[in-house]
Amino acid sequence: MKTSRLALYSMALTMGAMAFSSCKEKKQDEDIIVEKVIEKPKDSATTMPSETKNGEIQWINGNKYTYIIERKGDNTLPIVVNHDEPYYDNRILLTIKRSDGTEFFSQTFTKNSFTGLLNNEIKAHGVLLSMAFDKCDANNMYFVVGIGSPDEAYEDFALVQLIVSRMGDTSVATYTPPELPLSQESPSN
């Protein structure tokens, strides 16, 4: 019996020690860890979406030529502020290939390629917007180039003409849109 009393006494002490230690107040860490949120700076300017256009035409001696026009925003060019909004200007790569796939012409253009034909407002606040095939004759291929506001809400832009000769030389000229035919009015009775 002495052993069982000793065992009971020992168990009571152990249980008391456990109860005493479990009631002990845990030490609180006074450091509060909060994850610091770092906001990434927004781009300082808007970039127009990249765009690729291509087409086939019959040109020198009736041979087929393919043109590829690729517009891409370029953050290495100066930022243009247009109607209080900053924009990255664009580069346009024009590539013309012969029917056998060999390259006839390839050149990259920026707004500066056309500054001699632009007014001061478009030079300062316009971006290179677009290029499109216009026509060809026996000696030249003609493209229309748009430079102006990238915001479609505004209609401030200039159109110029890029001319690629059959020798691969380029020149620029003022673009005159073709005259639209006058509509035929039907006589009223």
Side-chain angles (χ1 to χ4, degrees):
M1 258 290 250
K2 230 180 183 187
T3 323
S4 62
R5 225 184 223 181
L6 188 59
L8 284 174
Y9 181 68
S10 177
M11 269 184 23
L13 278 175
T14 306
M15 296 281 255
M18 285 174 55
F20 182 77
S21 67
S22 67
C23 292
K24 180 180 169 187
E25 187 176 318
K26 292 184 180 179
K27 184 178 179 181
Q28 282 284 15
D29 190 2
E30 292 183 23
D31 293 334
I32 299 174
I33 300 173
V34 177
E35 185 176 332
K36 184 176 180 180
V37 177
I38 300 173
E39 287 188 34
K40 293 182 180 178
K42 293 182 180 178
D43 274 347
S44 59
T46 302
T47 303
M48 292 179 65
S50 296
E51 180 179 72
T52 300
K53 296 185 261 181
N54 54 44
E56 292 181 353
I57 56 163
Q58 299 284 320
W59 193 26
I60 302 170
N61 298 324
N63 291 313
K64 182 174 73 170
Y65 285 78
T66 302
Y67 63 86
I68 303 149
I69 301 167
E70 299 174 88
R71 180 191 70 201
K72 292 186 180 174
D74 188 339
N75 62 6
T76 66
L77 293 172
I79 290 177
V80 175
V81 177
N82 185 279
H83 299 283
D84 299 324
E85 291 294 324
Y87 292 92
Y88 287 116
D89 209 340
N90 300 304
R91 290 184 183 276
I92 293 180
L93 172 63
L94 171 62
T95 304
I96 302 171
K97 294 184 178 185
R98 297 178 187 91
S99 58
D100 63 3
T102 60
E103 193 171 277
F104 164 72
F105 177 86
S106 184
Q107 188 171 336
T108 300
F109 298 91
T110 64
K111 177 176 65 176
N112 288 339
S113 305
F114 310 99
T115 54
L117 299 172
L118 304 175
N119 66 36
N120 290 336
E121 183 69 20
I122 298 291
K123 282 181 196 175
H125 303 289
V127 300
L128 182 58
L129 298 171
S130 63
M131 182 183 289
F133 174 77
D134 184 26
K135 62 184 178 180
C136 61
D137 59 27
N139 295 311
N140 300 305
M141 196 179 290
Y142 300 87
F143 295 86
V144 178
V145 179
I147 301 156
S149 176
D151 188 338
E152 293 176 4
Y154 299 97
E155 293 185 7
D156 47 342
F157 63 92
L159 297 176
V160 297
Q161 192 167 57
L162 171 67
I163 304 163
V164 180
S165 77
R166 66 185 303 150
M167 302 307 287
D169 298 323
T170 60
S171 58
V172 294
T174 303
Y175 176 72
T176 305
E179 289 188 33
L180 298 174
L182 297 173
S183 65
Q184 298 283 333
E185 290 186 31
S186 59
S188 58
N189 294 339

